[in-house]
């Protein structure tokens, strides 16, 4: 799925957008977090916090192309 499609799903408050985001970027985000934090549990928590922040940050009043 294209990134814009994922953003639009999240923008429309469709939880499938987060699932698609995880499928596409979870490995990359986790490996980045692990390289910094050096701890599996902390890295997983950091990645999950990132998804939550994305969900909360995309404003439902903004216009998506």
């Amino acid at each position: 799925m294209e990134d814009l499609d994922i953003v639009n799903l999240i923008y429309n408050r469709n939880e499938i957008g987060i699932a698609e985001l995880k499928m596409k970027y979870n490995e990359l985000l986790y490996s980045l977090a692990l390289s910094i934090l050096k701890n599996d549990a902390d890295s997983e928590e950091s990645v999950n916090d990132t998804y939550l922040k994305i969900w909360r940050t995309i404003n439902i009043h903004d216009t998506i192309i």
Side-chain angles (χ1 to χ4, degrees), residues 16-55:
I16 292 172
I18 294 295
E20 292 290 334
L21 188 65
K22 283 183 176 183
M23 282 195 321
K24 190 166 184 179
Y25 290 106
N26 199 65
E27 187 176 330
L28 175 64
L29 291 172
Y30 179 79
S31 65
L32 178 61
L34 186 60
S35 72
I36 295 167
L37 300 172
K38 311 291 189 215
N39 179 287
D40 289 328
D42 289 345
S43 298
E44 187 174 332
E45 184 175 351
S46 176
V47 171
N48 287 331
D49 287 347
T50 300
Y51 295 132
L52 181 58
K53 181 72 171 182
I54 290 167
W55 182 258

